[in-house]
Amino acid sequence: MIKVQFAAHPERWDSYRPALETAFAAAQLQVDLRQDHPAAEVDYVIYAPNSDLQDFTPYTRCKAVFSLWAGVEKITGNTSLTQPLCRMVDPGLTAGMVEWVTGHVLRYHLDIDRSIATQDRWDPVVPPLAQERPVTLLGLGALGTACATALQRLGFPVTGWSRSQKTLTGLHCEHGAEGLTRALETAQIVILLLPDTAATENTLNATTLAHLPKGARIINPGRGPLIDDVALLDALDSGRIAHATLDVFRQEPLPQTHPFWAHPRVTVTPHIAAETRPLTAARMIAKNIQHGESGLPFLNQVDRQLGY
Ligand code: NAP
């Protein structure tokens, strides 16, 4: 019997338990799933950093820790966690992110705000076609690539930027510091889907924001520290950046006193772009346990050096 510990916020147990049991049965895995196994007996931990479990030292036979979250910046600093750590790549979460990003891109592209603001007059302004609206995705991982592909299917010319060089059909791919400058220079809409690491902090700062064309819009469903808040506020105040939609922040919940709340050129959403969905996430976890039990490399393993 494989002993799996569920270590997430207790209120998640009721939604995850049936999904995990179904997925384990479908994968023909004999699993004893609990929240209270003795630590030294646990084979795998399903983990969210807001659980009580912070010290992994007693988990001496644990073969892997499966994060329920795609972003692992709150876990990678835990020095007691020496087991392989896998981040969440979940088709349900990805679908949610594609919908959220596409919706906010189309809001900007079609200038839906203008339609809402001009309900008192007949004032036709026809939006351009998607093919005339270059979009840049910073981050071409599981989520960035899915969003880039969806936007490309709608006709947007999409440029993507990643750490390593990539070749993706139909996308213009850039990497490195010079690649970032090129990726920003033409972008009318920029979407950030990078992980929060030492190397990605303030990816958008006063210097890089200055590479964007006047009137560009920014959508950040990645992580708060990817953007220098002060530099963004300066660019918004001067009108160089027309608008920003921000889902993630350095401090969450975003403090009521933060200038983003009242800024006329900012839309705040409360970290709701995409959530892990128990049904599809459970299948991914079952698949990864199958990998572990048959000696195959774990899927979506975090590189501790890179931090994602
Ligand atoms: P991922 O698969 O790990 O992809 C990360 C991408 O970022 C990769 O393309 C990677 O480049 C690139 N990257 C990393 N460091 C870089 C650097 N220094 N310079 C340039 N590119 C760099 O991650 P994911 O699953 O797509 O998720 C991305 C992020 O979305 C997560 O880390 C999380 O913070 C955020 N997220 C937010 C929500 C929400 O609700 N708001 C939900 C889920 C996730 P390579 O391809 O070269 O490795």
Side-chain angles (χ1 to χ4, degrees):
M1 190 68 94
I2 304 163
K3 293 192 174 170
V4 175
Q5 177 91 349
F6 183 81
H9 199 280
E11 71 181 23
R12 298 286 173 173
W13 175 242
D14 285 347
S15 54
Y16 272 97
R17 188 172 59 94
L20 286 163
E21 286 174 352
T22 304
F24 293 149
Q28 297 183 327
L29 292 168
Q30 303 291 316
V31 171
D32 181 6
L33 173 70
R34 295 191 201 182
Q35 298 181 95
D36 58 356
H37 282 299
E41 294 177 13
V42 169
D43 295 300
Y44 299 95
V45 175
I46 298 169
Y47 187 60
N50 57 4
S51 91
D52 290 340
L53 172 53
Q54 298 300 327
D55 181 9
F56 286 84
T57 318
Y59 288 78
T60 44
R61 66 178 254 182
C62 173
K63 298 174 206 166
V65 174
F66 303 127
S67 169
L68 285 175
W69 298 3
V72 288
E73 72 279 357
K74 287 195 165 70
I75 312 176
T76 47
N78 186 337
T79 49
S80 74
L81 202 170
T82 52
Q83 298 84 351
L85 168 66
C86 303
R87 46 189 213 89
M88 179 50 69
V89 176
D90 156 32
L93 182 146
T94 303
M97 186 61 82
V98 168
E99 291 175 18
W100 189 90
V101 164
T102 306
H104 286 280
V105 166
L106 288 175
R107 170 193 173 192
Y108 284 149
H109 171 59
L110 299 174
D111 205 354
I112 290 172
D113 289 15
R114 187 179 187 283
S115 298
I116 294 167
T118 55
Q119 286 300 293
D120 56 347
R121 58 191 182 276
W122 187 267
D123 183 16
V125 176
V126 178
L129 289 175
Q131 66 190 30
E132 298 162 65
R133 178 90 64 195
V135 172
T136 285
L137 251 308
L138 303 183
L140 282 177
L143 299 176
T145 302
C147 293
T149 306
L151 294 169
Q152 184 204 344
R153 285 205 189 107
L154 286 172
F156 292 99
V158 181
T159 296
W161 181 71
S162 51
R163 186 183 51 79
S164 55
Q165 171 74 64
K166 290 206 185 316
T167 309
L168 296 167
T169 311
L171 298 187
H172 177 71
C173 296
E174 295 281 4
H175 72 289
E178 287 175 13
L180 176 61
T181 303
R182 283 192 293 273
L184 294 177
E185 273 171 352
T186 55
Q188 291 186 22
I189 301 172
V190 182
I191 302 134
L192 292 101
L193 274 168
L194 296 162
D196 176 7
T197 68
T200 61
E201 182 165 15
N202 294 332
T203 296
L204 287 190
N205 54 39
T207 307
T208 51
L209 283 166
H211 295 310
L212 286 165
K214 188 169 181 337
R217 275 104 165 200
I218 293 166
I219 300 175
N220 185 14
R223 283 291 183 261
L226 301 177
I227 303 182
D228 176 338
D229 288 359
V230 174
L232 176 60
L233 285 163
D234 282 351
L236 289 162
D237 288 341
S238 71
R240 277 208 1 85
I241 300 298
H243 204 274
T245 296
L246 309 173
D247 186 55
V248 283
F249 306 91
R250 284 167 192 268
Q251 189 184 339
E252 294 182 7
L254 183 66
Q256 276 308 320
T257 50
H258 197 287
F260 285 153
W261 280 115
H263 202 288
R265 294 198 169 107
V266 176
T267 295
V268 169
T269 61
H271 202 142
I272 43 88
E275 193 171 68
T276 304
R277 309 287 162 156
L279 206 65
T280 40
R283 291 185 200 133
M284 293 305 293
I285 291 167
K287 197 168 177 185
N288 235 347
I289 292 178
Q290 280 179 323
H291 272 240
E293 293 305 292
S294 39
L296 292 169
F298 289 110
L299 303 165
N300 310 312
Q301 203 172 321
V302 172
D303 181 323
R304 305 295 173 94
Q305 293 298 318
L306 295 172
Y308 71 99

